[in-house]
Amino acid sequence: MVIRQIAELLSAKVLCGEDKLDGVVNSACGCDMMSDVLAFVKDQAVLITGLCNPQVVRTAIMMDMRCIVFVRGKMPPADVLDLAEESGIVVLATNERMYVACGKLYQSGLHGGEVV
Amino acid sequence: MGNCVNFHFDIDGDNFTSAGEASVRIKKSLREMGFTPDVIRRVSVAMYEGEINMVIHANGGTADVNVYVDKIEIILADNGPGISNIELAMQEGYSTAPDNIRSLGFGAGMGLPNMKNYTDDMKIESEVGKGTTVFMTVNV
Ligand SMILES: Nc1ncnc2c1ncn2[C@@H]1O[C@H](COP(=O)(O)OP(=O)(O)OP(=O)(O)O)[C@@H](O)[C@H]1O
Ligand SMILES: [Mg+2]
């Protein structure tokens, strides 16, 4: 799935990484526990989360993820966005709740991929 | 053993916001040095988990990374409360993290087991009331 399509499916605002929306991603992970992301993610490139702190971005960096989707209308503070921008990670924000956001993406073909 | 590049970081224990900065820097440096994505992922995730542990459990400490051609060593040292039962702490799901840490996305009790999984060798030295040092090695 192209990242731009994720933004469209979730009516999401693009908060940074506008120039990387044509990137292709193959699987995603929905999680509020960064501990679990660090333990179980393999090559999921998209992180869908309701948590909004710099550790979300650092966790995504560690796992080589390419796109973060903040759900439930969460707006990350400027330092969080700066960190993502520096690291070349696309940040999207949607009003959808976690369950619905994941459901919509899954239904459109963005699946869970393998876990470690 | 002459070819070694050393990185040293002081990890601020009062600032959760900056926790993980050192690991992000190491990740970038290893990439510039041309290591494979697998090695970089293993070193940086193991160090990140350890760095977060020092901030949430031990009020900060120091991180040293020694990069050799055939291996990368990570040494994380703190003067925190120490770990009384290392075997228990190593178990998946064991955590003493308070609720406020959990609401930040950590405290699942996955860090130490994850550090062990991601590295080729891991050793913990800890004394209650004195502090903890974690030694990890990733073979290149
Ligand atoms: N540097 C440290 N100093 C003191 N205690 C520690 C240290 N590192 C880990 N511990 C203890 O070991 C426990 C297990 O650590 P581990 O990293 O596996 O889980 P966690 O940090 O609680 O949660 P998670 O890593 O999933 O966010 C901790 O809850 C804490 O009690
Ligand atoms: Mg931990």
Side-chain angles (χ1 to χ4, degrees), chain A residues 46-98:
Chain A
V46 183
L47 175 60
I48 303 144
T49 185
L51 205 65
C52 222
N53 62 40
Q55 265 62 43
V56 173
V57 179
R58 293 201 185 99
T59 300
I61 294 172
M62 290 306 146
M63 305 318 285
D64 306 298
M65 299 174 105
R66 315 226 325 265
C67 173
I68 300 172
V69 182
F70 290 111
V71 297
R72 275 183 273 120
K74 296 268 171 74
M75 276 296 166
D79 57 333
V80 173
L81 282 181
D82 289 347
L83 191 58
E85 179 89 64
E86 262 169 48
S87 313
I89 294 175
V90 180
V91 177
L92 307 177
T94 176
N95 286 324
E96 300 284 13
R97 287 156 297 149
M98 175 71 112

Side-chain angles (χ1 to χ4, degrees), chain A residues 35, chain B residues 48-50 52-54 56-57 94-95 97 106-113 115:
Chain A
S35 306
Chain B
Y48 184 60
E49 293 275 21
I52 300 273
N53 276 356
M54 288 201 294
I56 66 182
H57 304 299
Y94 177 83
S95 175
F106 291 89
M110 292 305 297
L112 290 175
M115 286 153 75

Side-chain angles (χ1 to χ4, degrees), chain A residues 38-50:
Chain A
L38 290 163
F40 299 118
V41 159
K42 197 169 170 211
D43 50 16
Q44 289 75 357
V46 183
L47 175 60
I48 303 144
T49 185

Side-chain angles (χ1 to χ4, degrees), chain B residues 1-135:
Chain B
M1 303 301 300
N3 291 332
C4 170
V5 182
N6 173 263
F7 297 87
H8 176 85
F9 303 92
D10 292 314
I11 311 297
D12 182 358
D14 296 322
N15 189 353
F16 181 76
T17 301
S18 62
E21 271 178 2
S23 305
V24 170
R25 298 246 296 278
I26 280 296
K27 178 150 193 161
K28 203 162 160 256
S29 300
L30 293 179
R31 200 180 282 142
E32 285 162 8
M33 292 165 93
F35 286 97
T36 62
D38 175 63
V39 166
I40 296 171
R41 161 92 62 107
R42 291 167 62 210
V43 170
S44 56
V45 171
M47 178 172 169
Y48 184 60
E49 293 275 21
E51 192 182 347
I52 300 273
N53 276 356
M54 288 201 294
V55 175
I56 66 182
H57 304 299
N59 201 32
T62 59
D64 284 279
V65 180
N66 303 320
V67 181
Y68 300 88
V69 276
D70 59 340
K71 67 175 180 191
I72 298 169
E73 291 170 350
I74 308 150
I75 300 151
L76 305 168
D78 67 60
N79 299 313
I83 304 175
S84 57
N85 186 337
I86 293 175
E87 205 184 321
L88 184 62
M90 286 299 299
Q91 283 178 18
E92 275 188 21
Y94 177 83
S95 175
T96 59
D99 283 345
N100 69 314
I101 294 300
R102 218 149 279 143
S103 67
L104 294 168
F106 291 89
M110 292 305 297
L112 290 175
N114 207 20
M115 286 153 75
K116 183 151 182 69
N117 286 342
Y118 272 103
T119 55
D120 292 296
D121 187 56
M122 172 167 150
K123 194 171 80 207
I124 302 175
E125 282 173 5
S126 189
E127 197 174 330
V128 174
K130 284 242 169 92
T132 302
T133 305
V134 180
F135 302 85

